[in-house]
Amino acid sequence: MKVAASGTYDPGEGSRLPEGEVHAWEPGQNQTACGVPLRRAGLARFPHVDFSDTDPVTGGSADAVRWVCPKCVAATTPRRQRGGRRWERTDPRP
């Protein structure tokens, strides 16, 4: 998955990076992974930036990212990696 963001950040190295709101986007699609239409929301596409690089913890391309869409994170990341619980039956019926 690649990135669609509400703004463009230029670090001075000749490349553009995402800033503001960040969503996951599959190239060739007209909407994000959470269903936001790119054109109507005014989102810029970044086909050279992976969505995993926009996590503020990792650094990477996340210098100017203010908000990462939680629905897009849920759509692109397995539950185990997000720290979620796995479903388990605790009291089975007879």
Side-chain angles (χ1 to χ4, degrees):
M1 289 284 210
K2 301 299 179 181
V3 175
S6 62
T8 302
Y9 169 66
D10 184 17
E13 302 165 358
S15 64
R16 36 179 225 124
L17 298 175
E19 82 170 338
E21 290 186 13
V22 175
H23 294 269
W25 164 68
E26 185 69 35
Q29 299 290 320
N30 292 329
Q31 65 182 9
T32 64
C34 63
V36 175
L38 296 174
R39 184 81 171 171
R40 287 186 181 177
L43 298 176
R45 298 170 182 98
F46 296 88
H48 59 283
V49 179
D50 285 331
F51 184 68
S52 60
D53 291 339
T54 59
D55 187 14
V57 175
T58 62
S61 301
D63 293 338
V65 172
R66 288 184 297 237
W67 184 75
V68 179
C69 176
K71 290 181 181 180
C72 289
V73 171
T76 59
T77 310
R79 182 177 277 185
R80 289 183 196 144
Q81 290 180 1
R82 286 183 279 144
R85 294 189 330 242
R86 194 168 170 225
W87 187 84
E88 183 178 315
R89 184 181 297 258
T90 56
D91 190 17
R93 296 187 336 201

